[in-house]
Amino acid sequence: MADSTILKGNQLSKASAAEAYKTLRTNIQFSSLDKQLKVLMVTSASQSEGKSTTAANLAITIAQSDKRVLLIDSDLRRPHIHKALSLLNVKGLTNVLVQSIDYKDICNTVGVKNLEVLTSGPKPPNPSELIGTARMESLITTVASEYDTVIIDAPPVLPVTDAAVLSRLVDGVILVVEYGSTSYEMAQEAKDDLERVGANIIGAVLNRYPIEKKGRYNYEYDQDLLKKQSMRSFSKGVRRA
Ligand SMILES: Nc1ncnc2c1ncn2[C@@H]1O[C@H](COP(=O)(O)OP(=O)(O)O)[C@@H](O)[C@H]1O
Ligand SMILES: [Mg+2]
């Protein structure tokens, strides 16, 4: 069974979560009208803020709109996509980067039409070096031409440089902020780090936003989230997903 925070194929068990992700999908579609956002990366300031959950659910939701989607787990230190989607992680991204295995031979399906998943693969001793290789860049170029959308579940920004390195190779970055956990300073620092290397931050997702009304799920998305002055105001002025 997949993780309970993951949408279940075509039988969405969490209708309000599904609605929130559909809104996120629409917001992304409209966030850049002149430049196509094909390769998107999901990151956050630190660990356990909901990057993998957001990346997996977003990939599922985009695939459900009849787009061919590839989800890649690039968090080589703390990979989670295979656990969230109940996949084995015997072979994955690290095999592509180290052994030149064709990604097509080791992509997984998860019972969602149009969605394929490349898990992280075995843990390498040198994650940052691998993420920064020319092979990673060429993999992204290849998959961008073969799928409508590529979602990359990335490492966190503050502890390691991998996310900043990756952010330069993608079309857009989504920053996850965990309500009640990520401090304003951390979120701002992560945003600054990404902007310093020229990343295109297309928006932020406020994860675990408290459910006020029964049946509503806890995701928020707002392009201006990080412009707000404090964490408390994050929860006030934001648009409900
Ligand atoms: N909105 C949410 N509601 C409930 N549980 C969540 C939510 N977002 C994440 N989680 C859970 O919190 C844990 C950390 O989330 P994860 O997506 O793995 O974070 P990250 O990738 O940032 O380290 C996982 O067990 C996940 O299932
Ligand atoms: Mg993760």
Side-chain angles (χ1 to χ4, degrees):
M1 276 299 286
D3 190 312
S4 65
T5 56
I6 302 297
L7 303 174
K8 307 266 187 316
N10 292 323
Q11 301 163 326
L12 297 175
S13 59
K14 298 183 191 304
S16 46
E19 261 331 293
Y21 281 110
K22 277 188 199 159
T23 306
L24 175 58
R25 179 181 72 199
T26 308
N27 286 337
I28 291 168
Q29 275 163 359
F30 285 101
S31 65
S32 173
L33 295 174
D34 44 354
K35 184 177 184 283
Q36 219 192 344
L37 299 172
K38 268 203 139 193
V39 185
L40 299 173
M41 175 185 127
V42 179
T43 189
S44 71
S46 57
Q47 66 190 40
S48 298
E49 292 177 292
K51 292 179 288 299
S52 301
T53 307
T54 303
N57 283 325
L58 182 60
I60 290 169
T61 308
I62 296 175
Q64 286 167 343
S65 68
D66 254 355
K67 298 258 193 288
R68 287 199 63 222
V69 179
L70 177 66
L71 171 64
I72 302 178
D73 191 346
S74 76
D75 192 344
L76 305 181
R77 290 179 180 81
R78 296 171 60 94
H80 184 69
I81 290 295
H82 62 287
K83 289 184 202 149
L85 296 172
S86 306
L87 293 167
L88 291 175
N89 188 24
V90 180
K91 285 201 171 141
L93 177 61
T94 53
N95 301 93
V96 177
L97 299 178
V98 176
Q99 299 164 330
S100 308
I101 290 179
D102 189 342
Y103 80 92
K104 284 183 190 151
D105 296 336
I106 54 171
C107 267
N108 300 274
T109 53
V110 287
V112 176
K113 200 175 149 221
N114 299 316
L115 176 63
E116 285 174 59
V117 181
L118 182 61
T119 61
S120 68
K123 276 189 190 169
N126 52 348
S128 298
E129 276 172 47
L130 284 187
I131 292 296
T133 54
R135 258 191 205 151
M136 185 70 199
E137 193 167 354
S138 97
L139 174 69
I140 291 178
T141 309
T142 307
V143 294
S145 68
E146 293 184 14
Y147 292 84
D148 296 313
T149 305
V150 178
I151 304 284
I152 303 182
D153 179 21
V157 177
L158 299 183
V160 283
T161 55
D162 310 16
V165 169
L166 263 180
S167 72
R168 307 179 63 172
L169 307 178
V170 303
D171 300 323
V173 176
I174 296 167
L175 198 58
V176 176
V177 176
E178 187 181 5
Y179 179 85
S181 167
T182 316
S183 69
Y184 176 76
E185 287 74 20
M186 281 166 71
Q188 187 64 48
E189 204 182 321
K191 180 175 177 269
D192 291 347
D193 282 2
L194 290 167
E195 285 182 341
R196 212 170 291 129
V197 295
N200 176 27
I201 302 177
I202 58 166
V205 166
L206 185 56
N207 190 29
R208 290 189 189 259
Y209 186 76
I211 306 166
E212 279 158 18
K213 289 183 199 162
K214 200 168 178 249
R216 288 213 63 117
Y217 210 72
N218 46 350
Y219 296 89
E220 293 280 330
Y221 174 82
D222 195 304
Q223 286 188 292
D224 296 326
L225 199 61
L226 293 174
K227 291 185 190 147
K228 304 286 182 325
Q229 287 307 304
S230 69
M231 271 314 282
R232 199 194 284 164
S233 63
F234 272 23
S235 60
K236 279 183 187 161
V238 296
R239 195 179 332 132
R240 300 222 55 149

